[in-house]
Amino acid sequence: MTIPTILIDQHVHSSYSPDSSSTLAEIVQYAIARGKPAIVTTDHLEFDCKYFKQDVDIDWESYNKEVEELSRRYAVEIRKGIEVGFRSDYKDVINDYLAQRVFDVILLSAHNDGRLDFSEKAFHDLPIQQRLRHYFTHVREAVDQMGNYDIVAHLDYVVRYTTFPVHEEDIAACKPILYDILKLIIEKQKVLELNTTGLYRQGWIHPHSYILDMYVDLGGRAVSIGSDAHQVGHIEQGFEEAIELLHSKGIREVVQFKGRVPYLVSL
């Protein structure tokens, strides 16, 4: 399966995120070597981040300065994205933050509930259905309460860190709340991300094919592909499998963003 040159990985973290060591320059050079016309970084914004035990933000002064320098040196477009870790109690703070800055694309995620990060062992010691329903409740809040975003990232993120295998019947038991989430995504004209990191964790692309089938059955067609790369060598990892999966669902276009304006790329 060929990855189109104009297809851009829309979920990439650089060293402006605390969990990545790959520099913006390395990401630019990686893209140029593969003939890409543009890159986008989607570094973390998360107030009261439970994983890092602090607010996580981007050093915009350094980032913008480096973008200007790299743009002078290389013939590649550098798009500015962000991954927002949503919490209902920080909704107004998040919206104020986003309103003060210009982005090409905004990803929406749910990473913690105000007490635990959804990756922490203490959370995964809970029964599987309790974990899934609790997590999806927070995703529904994020999708519903936020308006200023473009893409819903790794919708079933929680299963990435589960201490026990998650089966289709576990996902299917959450059908009512998943229905609500997917209907909201469609009604609000947002985009569902296929996040390929799941292939190297639990063996499937986020979201699980059960959820993707629900989305398609409900009329959802707007999808994006992102690797969630935290090091340059993982950019576009699993994209061939993602394209093959989309073809199997009858989807042959993905949505990309520039200046928050969507456009389609054929697969």
Side-chain angles (χ1 to χ4, degrees), residues 17-36:
S17 288
D19 50 0
S20 172
S21 60
S22 291
T23 67
L24 188 56
E26 289 172 334
I27 295 169
V28 166
Q29 291 161 4
Y30 181 94
I32 289 171
R34 283 150 183 80
K36 297 290 180 178

Side-chain angles (χ1 to χ4, degrees), residues 12-23 27 43-44 52 229-232:
V12 175
H13 296 278
S14 75
S15 54
Y16 289 96
S17 288
D19 50 0
S20 172
S21 60
S22 291
T23 67
I27 295 169
D43 289 304
H44 290 292
F52 290 104
H230 285 73
Q231 51 184 291
V232 69

Side-chain angles (χ1 to χ4, degrees), residues 225-248:
I225 307 178
S227 67
D228 208 347
H230 285 73
Q231 51 184 291
V232 69
H234 291 169
I235 295 174
E236 292 189 357
Q237 193 173 40
F239 270 36
E240 294 92 343
E241 292 89 339
I243 293 170
E244 185 175 352
L245 175 62
L246 289 174
H247 283 184
S248 74

Side-chain angles (χ1 to χ4, degrees), residues 7-12 40-42 79-86 98 103-111 135 139 142-144 146-156 181-182 184-186 188-196 206-207 215 221-228 239 254-264:
L7 181 63
I8 299 167
D9 191 335
Q10 290 194 124
H11 195 153
V12 175
V40 61
T41 55
T42 52
R79 299 179 186 173
K80 299 176 183 180
I82 194 166
E83 181 182 5
V84 176
F86 180 81
L98 296 176
F103 297 100
D104 287 286
V105 63
I106 298 175
L107 309 184
L108 181 66
S109 301
H111 292 139
Y135 167 75
V139 174
V143 173
D144 185 29
M146 281 289 288
N148 193 8
Y149 67 94
D150 306 300
I151 298 171
V152 178
H154 46 50
L155 192 147
D156 55 0
I181 293 168
L182 296 173
L184 280 167
I185 291 172
I186 295 168
K188 298 180 79 167
Q189 298 183 332
K190 304 302 183 182
V191 176
L192 179 68
E193 179 189 74
L194 267 66
N195 184 299
T196 57
H206 298 298
Y215 181 66
R221 307 289 294 181
V223 296
S224 169
I225 307 178
S227 67
D228 208 347
F239 270 36
V254 293
V255 183
Q256 297 190 160
F257 289 88
K258 178 178 179 179
R260 306 291 305 281
V261 177
Y263 65 95
L264 296 176

